[in-house]
Amino acid sequence: MAGRWMDLGAFNARGLPGADALGVAIERMVTGIASPVDSERGLAARLNYLTKTDAGYEAMDRAGIHVSPRTLMAWLAEERIPNKANRSRLDAAYWDLRRRNVAADLKKRLNNHGRGTRVEINPVDQSRVEGRHQRDLSSRSITVRGVWDRAVDAWIDDDLDELDAIWDDIIQDLGSEYDAYSNVSSIGWAA
C-alpha cells in the first residue's frame, strides 16, 4: 500500500484504505432482494433464486448449506422454515451468487466502452486533527480506465492485496500528491 499515513489514526484522522473504499464502492452497485431473509417473501425469493441454476447450488455449498434434498424441497414448499443459522447461510449464498451474476455487467458499466469511469476521491476526514498536523487536501476527480476488470474480479474473490495494488495504480495518476490519497474517507462514481 502506498502511503506515509500507515498509522492513519495517530493524529485522529479518520478514513479507510483506498482498497477498502474501492471494494465498498463496487459493493454499492449490487442490488437485489430488498425483503429480509427472515420474512416469508424474502426467504422464498432467495430460495427461488438459488435453486434455479447449478451456480445457485454451488453458492449454497460455498455458504455451508448441506441439507438433504427432502429438506430443501420442504423449504421450497414452505412446509418447513430453515433455522436461523441456515437462513443466514441462505442470505450469504444469495448475495454471493448475486455478485457473481452481476460481475460482467459491472465490468461493462465501469469500463464504459473504453472511456472508463469518473471517480471522485474524498480525502481522509481531518476535522479532529490538530491544525499543525493537518495536510492541505481536497476532493479529487479522476477518470479511471483499464483496471475495472481486475478490480471487479478482486472484489468477487475478496482479494484485498489485488484491490490495494489496483488502488495504487489509480492514485498514481493524481501526480505528486498521490500518496496523500492512499487512505480516504470515501470514493464514488455514477456508472
Side-chain angles (χ1 to χ4, degrees):
M1 171 172 95
R4 288 172 282 206
W5 287 18
M6 296 298 277
D7 189 11
L8 176 64
F11 295 108
N12 296 318
R14 291 178 295 178
L16 66 158
D20 292 350
L22 185 59
V24 167
I26 294 171
E27 183 75 26
R28 282 194 311 254
M29 295 180 72
V30 179
T31 59
I33 299 167
S35 300
V37 71
D38 293 332
S39 71
E40 189 175 311
R41 181 179 180 169
L43 177 61
R46 283 166 179 77
L47 284 167
N48 185 41
Y49 189 78
L50 289 166
T51 57
K52 281 188 174 184
T53 63
D54 289 341
Y57 287 98
E58 292 168 9
M60 286 192 288
D61 188 51
R62 281 191 302 274
I65 300 170
H66 305 291
V67 296
S68 69
R70 183 177 176 171
T71 298
L72 186 57
M73 292 306 291
W75 289 353
L76 286 165
E78 298 179 6
E79 295 168 356
R80 290 194 339 207
I81 298 173
N83 64 29
K84 186 175 182 175
N86 278 330
R87 286 193 308 267
S88 178
R89 289 183 190 109
L90 284 166
D91 191 49
Y94 167 76
W95 286 109
D96 174 46
L97 180 60
R98 187 75 187 124
R99 286 179 189 97
R100 291 172 190 276
N101 285 345
V102 301
D105 180 60
L106 294 179
K107 290 175 184 180
K108 183 178 176 182
R109 288 168 54 195
L110 291 165
N111 283 314
N112 192 20
H113 305 288
R115 290 188 295 267
T117 297
R118 191 84 177 153
V119 176
E120 181 174 310
I121 304 169
N122 299 306
V124 296
D125 177 4
Q126 298 183 80
S127 61
R128 295 184 179 180
V129 176
E130 189 178 326
R132 64 188 177 108
H133 294 296
Q134 287 186 4
R135 295 176 73 176
D136 187 23
L137 301 174
S138 60
S139 293
R140 302 285 301 269
S141 287
I142 185 169
T143 299
V144 177
R145 296 180 187 88
V147 299
W148 292 115
D149 288 355
R150 283 177 46 216
V152 171
D153 289 341
W155 164 75
I156 286 175
D157 295 336
D158 288 323
D159 186 347
L160 206 52
D161 290 335
E162 179 66 2
L163 282 173
D164 191 45
I166 293 164
W167 184 250
D168 282 348
D169 290 346
I170 291 170
I171 63 174
Q172 291 293 325
D173 291 337
L174 293 175
S176 62
E177 279 193 330
Y178 81 92
D179 195 31
Y181 296 89
S182 56
N183 290 290
V184 297
S185 60
S186 67
I187 64 171
W189 56 74

